């Protein structure tokens, strides 16, 4: 074992007043009282939220509930390449692909389901997507439903989610040009 | 279990002379598995004589999730979110440990900025882990106020992690060969601010407990383990250092430039609960020192290695360039290809040596991953630590050895 710089933890002897425990009571009480007064006089800085009434705003980049992005005409941007379903460590994405009427797009997801009870919110699907179709920038961190089936969100629900910070969302890139009809 | 059976003959109900003296009747009690004082789902079957623990047996496995088997069916990058759930109090340290083992197996050099950032977040997580451990331990022995003082400051760090990693608890921050994302503007200032807050919290709590007679009599001389026993059980981390052995992987086998940072290794003398708590307090102070030094010398540059084998191509390449797109597809569909071989690599996590033993057969998935959790060896000594003591001491001891069930049972 190497010689390293060590620091011994001291074991100090208590003096008479500390032995009686009377002095530490007052020292401790003065400290807690100081905290109490500080909190009462300035309630703003207390790290507490009235949760259901007041919700925390998540910073940009927070991995919240997923959403699917849209093309300019409102159709789904996803091309069903199955990258997100492959990379997902929790195997929570289920995609069924179908042929798109536009030959430049080729494929689109007929079914795009995410099981939110399986999802671990690691954000790998967002990293894996080669056409910026799935994002986790909705800022939604409360996920609730009354039935187990309702936690499986479908394509329409995912398309209707909004970005929390629309102005800072990544620019639209990687779209195949749509030929004019 | 055998020892319990020896102490408790099956047919004792038919032996009236056995009951002549009440003291000879042992009571059997389950501490846990679901009890607020047992940190996580830990079951301890104890034989009690009055309040004295005559014998104890531990049982684990209530939180077994099959991390090692699952890892065999995932690519190396996909294992990282699973490592979050090992020691969920300091998730990033597990990410770093696994990423470091895989990188060493491939032989990838990570960038200096990535090293610096990994040191910074690891040390911040070490502080948080110790804050949680000390806070919960003090609650166990009846000092609830300290818990709030420590947890309020932890909340401020979690706000930083929110912005930095995108999640509060299960961060999944590292990738093989780099990090998930770079820092945001203003990261340094916020970290320096929260370090100051940590110092205030530590001072506040020390003021309440360090010279408090009740705290000292509840912790000093409780749950003692000798140096020889600790070594033979395979202790690492603060629990080993509390017995007086200055063994720290950051000093013994320095990685990520730990040899360039000035810090001391705190050691105890006796190896009791008091030493373990105080070693953790001192480690918080030392970690604060390391983070300050690391922030000062944090270099610029990229965070991901430019090695095409491990890093995803940048998004602008993926979106417009066919080579980038194919690289991206191969990376995701087949995983990182690692040459056949086996490797053990360990980092100093908050609880001790966190090691990963990886066997690769040349495919994208690991053939076998074995995780060496620091808790596992420490918890095996728990019956020895508590036998002969009182139940209340057993609770105080359990808190001080910082058992995280997610890591213990994997």
């Amino acid at each position: 074992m190497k010689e390293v710089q060590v620091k011994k933890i001291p074991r100090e002897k208590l003096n008479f007043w500390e032995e009686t425990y009377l002095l530490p009571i007052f020292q401790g009480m003065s400290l807690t009282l100081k905290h109490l007064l500080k909190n009462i006089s300035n309630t703003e800085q207390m790290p507490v939220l009235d949760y259901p009434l007041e919700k925390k705003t998540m910073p940009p980049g927070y991995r919240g509930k997923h959403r699917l992005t849209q093309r300019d005409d409102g159709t789904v941007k996803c091309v069903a390449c199955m990258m997100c379903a492959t990379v997902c460590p929790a195997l929570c994405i289920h995609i069924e692909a179908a042929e798109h009427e536009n030959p430049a797009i080729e494929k689109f997801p007929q079914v795009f389901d995410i099981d939110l009870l399986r999802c671990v919110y690691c954000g790998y699907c967002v990293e894996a997507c080669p056409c910026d179709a799935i994002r986790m920038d909705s800022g939604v961190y409360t996920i609730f439903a009354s039935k187990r089936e309702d936690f499986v969100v479908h394509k329409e629900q995912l398309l209707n989610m909004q970005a929390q910070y629309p102005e800072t969302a990544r620019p639209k890139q990687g779209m195949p040009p749509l030929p004019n009809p | 279990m055998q020892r319990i059976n020896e102490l408790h003959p099956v047919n004792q109900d038919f032996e009236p002379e056995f009951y002549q003296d009440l003291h000879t009747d042992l009571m059997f009690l389950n501490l846990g598995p679901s009890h607020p004082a047992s940190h996580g789902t830990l079951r301890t079957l104890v034989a009690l004589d009055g309040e004295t623990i005559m014998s104890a047996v531990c049982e684990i496995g209530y939180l077994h999730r099959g991390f090692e088997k699952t890892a065999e069916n995932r690519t190396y990058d996909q294992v990282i979110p699973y490592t979050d759930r090992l020691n969920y109090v300091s998730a990033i340290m597990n990410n770093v440990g696994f990423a470091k083992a895989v990188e060493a197996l491939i032989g990838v050099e990570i960038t200096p900025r990535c090293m610096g950032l990994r040191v910074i977040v690891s040390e911040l997580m070490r502080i948080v882990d110790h804050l949680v451990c000390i806070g919960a331990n003090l609650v166990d022995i009846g000092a609830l106020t300290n818990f709030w003082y420590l947890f309020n400051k932890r909340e401020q760090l979690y706000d930083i992690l929110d912005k930095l990693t995108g999640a509060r608890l299960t961060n999944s921050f590292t990738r093989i060969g780099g990090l998930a994302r770079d820092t945001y503007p203003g990261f340094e200032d916020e970290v320096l601010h929260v370090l100051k807050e940590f110092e205030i919290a530590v001072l506040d709590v020390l003021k309440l407990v360090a010279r408090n007679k009740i705290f000292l009599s509840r912790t000093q001389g409780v749950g003692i383990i000798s140096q020889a026993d600790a070594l033979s059980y395979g202790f690492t981390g603060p629990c080993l250092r509390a017995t007086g052995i200055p063994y720290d992987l950051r000093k013994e086998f320095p990685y990520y430039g730990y040899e360039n940072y000035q810090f001391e290794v705190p050691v105890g003398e006796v190896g009791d609960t008091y030493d373990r708590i105080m070693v953790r307090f001192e480690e918080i102070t030392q970690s604060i020192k390391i983070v300050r030094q690391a922030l000062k010398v944090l270099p610029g540059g990229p965070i991901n290695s430019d090695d095409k084998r491990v890093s995803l191509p940048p998004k602008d390449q993926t979106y417009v360039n066919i080579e980038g797109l194919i690289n991206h597809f191969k990376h995701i569909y087949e995983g990182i290809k690692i040459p056949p071989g086996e490797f053990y690599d360990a980092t100093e996590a908050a609880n001790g040596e966190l090691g990963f033993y990886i066997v690769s057969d040349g495919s994208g998935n690991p053939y076998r991953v074995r995780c060496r959790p620091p808790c596992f060896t420490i918890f095996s000594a728990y019956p020895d630590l508590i036998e002969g003591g009182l139940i209340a001491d057993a609770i105080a001891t359990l808190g001080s050895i910082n058992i995280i069930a997610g890591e213990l049972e994997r």
Side-chain angles (χ1 to χ4, degrees):
Chain A
M1 221 158 61
K2 285 183 193 167
E3 280 296 310
V4 295
Q5 209 179 352
V6 299
K7 184 166 185 182
K8 277 246 156 88
I9 301 297
R11 281 183 184 241
E12 286 154 28
K13 274 263 172 230
L14 298 185
N15 63 30
F16 173 75
W17 285 108
E18 286 161 344
E19 279 289 343
T20 60
Y21 191 59
L22 281 174
L23 189 66
I25 282 186
F26 290 109
Q27 285 172 342
M29 286 305 284
S30 71
L31 183 77
T32 44
L33 211 64
K34 215 160 67 189
H35 274 269
L36 177 73
L37 290 177
K38 200 175 126 198
N39 284 340
I40 289 178
S41 61
N42 187 7
T43 48
E44 289 300 306
Q45 54 89 39
M46 276 165 70
V48 180
L49 285 178
D50 274 344
Y51 167 62
L53 307 172
E54 186 185 352
K55 281 188 182 167
K56 189 176 173 194
T57 324
M58 286 306 175
Y62 179 78
R63 300 197 298 264
K65 205 171 166 182
H66 319 67
R67 69 188 187 95
L68 285 174
T69 53
Q70 302 174 357
R71 290 204 176 81
D72 294 333
D73 60 352
T75 57
V76 62
K77 210 167 166 187
C78 172
V79 294
C81 70
M82 315 293 273
M83 296 273 263
C84 50
T86 309
V87 82
C88 179
L91 314 178
C92 70
I93 303 179
H94 176 69
I95 302 173
E96 280 172 28
E99 199 167 338
H100 200 274
E101 55 204 18
N102 185 340
I105 298 175
E106 291 182 16
K107 277 204 311 183
F108 81 103
Q110 202 160 33
V111 175
F112 195 111
D113 290 349
I114 297 181
D115 188 344
L116 294 179
L117 289 181
R118 283 198 72 117
C119 178
V120 296
Y121 298 89
C122 60
Y124 275 31
C125 47
V126 183
E127 257 172 56
C129 185
C131 56
D132 192 20
I134 186 167
R135 291 185 191 167
M136 291 175 84
D137 58 358
S138 65
V140 177
Y141 55 90
T142 49
I143 285 132
F144 49 87
S146 53
K147 285 205 304 291
R148 193 170 273 255
E149 299 81 53
D150 293 348
F151 282 103
V152 181
V153 286
H154 305 295
K155 192 173 85 174
E156 291 72 31
Q157 288 155 285
L158 290 167
L159 276 169
N160 286 334
M161 300 286 294
Q162 297 302 319
Q164 189 188 9
Y165 298 96
E167 65 283 358
T168 55
R170 276 177 285 172
K172 290 185 177 176
Q173 283 176 308
M175 276 171 54
L178 285 167
N180 290 325
Chain B
M1 205 49 88
Q2 200 185 350
R3 298 180 64 188
I4 294 268
N5 285 338
E6 279 167 17
L7 285 164
H8 188 257
V10 177
N11 290 328
Q12 68 178 15
D13 286 355
F14 307 106
E15 296 171 50
E17 65 274 14
F18 194 83
Y19 288 97
Q20 275 170 359
D21 185 356
L22 267 180
H23 282 287
T24 56
D25 186 14
L26 296 176
M27 189 172 90
F28 294 89
L29 190 71
N30 275 309
L31 294 179
S34 55
H35 188 274
S38 73
H39 294 231
T41 47
L42 313 167
R43 180 179 175 219
T44 314
L45 181 59
V46 291
L48 297 174
D49 180 13
E51 270 211 58
T52 314
I53 296 172
M54 304 306 287
S55 176
V57 183
C58 295
E59 190 180 348
I60 67 166
Y62 291 93
L63 203 66
H64 177 67
R65 294 143 304 161
F67 163 76
E68 292 173 6
K69 189 67 194 169
T70 315
E72 291 169 20
N73 299 309
R74 299 285 185 272
T75 64
Y76 289 93
D77 256 333
Q78 278 179 318
V79 177
I80 285 174
Y82 283 93
T83 60
D84 277 339
R85 277 101 184 143
L86 291 174
N87 185 348
Y88 38 78
V89 184
S90 53
I92 297 180
M93 298 193 88
N94 307 312
N95 298 162
V96 170
F98 185 76
K100 179 169 174 278
V102 176
E103 283 151 10
L105 187 53
I106 324 175
V108 171
E109 289 281 315
I110 59 170
T111 61
R113 181 171 176 81
C114 175
M115 275 189 205
L117 274 174
R118 281 188 185 183
V119 167
I120 290 167
V121 286
S122 293
E123 293 305 319
L124 287 173
M125 292 318 276
R126 189 189 310 280
I127 295 169
V128 163
D129 196 288
H130 289 344
L131 289 181
V132 173
C133 173
I134 295 169
N137 197 354
L138 290 173
V139 173
D140 288 344
I141 57 179
L144 184 67
T145 315
N146 305 290
F147 183 75
W148 307 127
Y149 290 172
L150 297 175
F151 259 52
N152 281 351
K153 309 299 179 187
R154 170 179 177 260
E155 184 62 30
Q156 298 187 2
L157 179 68
Y158 271 39
D159 283 344
I160 294 179
L161 290 179
D162 239 4
K163 292 185 210 166
L164 179 66
T165 70
R168 298 176 69 74
L169 197 68
T170 50
N171 307 93
S172 308
F173 187 48
T174 66
R175 298 287 181 271
I176 311 296
L179 295 171
R181 47 174 96 153
D182 207 339
T183 56
Y184 55 90
F187 169 75
E188 277 89 351
D189 297 336
E190 287 186 20
V191 170
L192 287 175
H193 172 73
V194 85
L195 291 180
K196 261 185 221 139
E197 298 283 323
F198 284 149
E199 279 173 342
I200 294 170
V202 168
L203 279 181
D204 274 357
V205 172
L206 279 177
K207 212 187 234 175
L208 284 178
V209 301
R211 300 186 78 79
N212 183 319
K213 192 153 182 269
I214 295 178
F215 171 75
L216 297 184
S217 29
R218 282 300 304 275
T219 54
Q220 287 188 344
V222 169
I224 297 178
I225 190 157
S226 67
Q227 288 194 356
D229 281 352
L231 282 177
S232 72
Y233 270 115
F235 272 37
T236 45
C239 294
L240 179 67
R241 293 194 279 276
T243 65
I245 301 174
Y247 180 76
D248 190 324
L249 284 179
R250 292 174 293 173
K251 291 279 191 196
E252 297 294 322
F253 308 102
Y255 53 95
Y256 295 159
Y258 269 114
E259 63 273 21
N260 304 329
Y261 303 123
Q262 298 296 319
F263 65 101
E264 291 162 340
V265 179
V267 292
E269 287 172 68
V270 186
D272 56 0
T273 302
Y274 175 82
D275 274 343
R276 287 191 281 269
I277 294 177
M278 286 302 158
V279 163
R280 286 206 167 85
F281 268 123
E282 189 53 41
E283 277 192 20
I284 292 175
T285 318
Q286 299 298 332
S287 288
I288 291 173
K289 261 167 74 178
I290 297 177
V291 175
R292 288 221 170 101
Q293 294 171 44
L295 274 177
K296 224 174 263 172
V297 297
L298 182 65
I303 49 159
N304 281 323
S305 150
D306 56 0
D307 196 325
K308 286 276 191 296
R309 287 176 302 171
V310 293
S311 299
L312 279 174
K315 279 284 181 244
D316 53 347
Q317 296 272 323
T318 311
Y319 288 152
V320 298
N321 183 343
I322 188 70
E323 280 85 15
L325 191 64
I326 288 175
N327 188 349
H328 188 86
F329 264 70
K330 295 279 275 186
H331 192 288
I332 295 216
Y333 270 99
E334 296 172 6
I336 299 165
K337 292 280 175 61
I338 293 188
E342 32 194 276
F343 198 78
Y344 176 79
D345 202 5
T347 52
E348 178 77 23
N351 279 346
E353 175 180 340
L354 175 75
F356 287 96
Y357 182 77
I358 299 173
V359 183
S360 165
D361 58 355
S363 69
N365 307 338
Y367 181 74
R368 175 86 172 88
V369 174
R370 156 84 181 134
C371 169
R372 184 229 184 265
C375 285
F376 189 68
T377 52
I378 296 172
F379 193 59
S380 65
Y382 182 57
D384 264 16
L385 287 169
I386 62 172
E387 273 172 18
L390 303 175
I391 297 182
D393 292 346
I395 303 301
T397 309
L398 182 64
S400 73
I401 55 179
N402 194 16
I403 300 300
I404 308 284
E407 181 179 64
L408 176 71
E409 298 162 9
R410 309 188 291 293

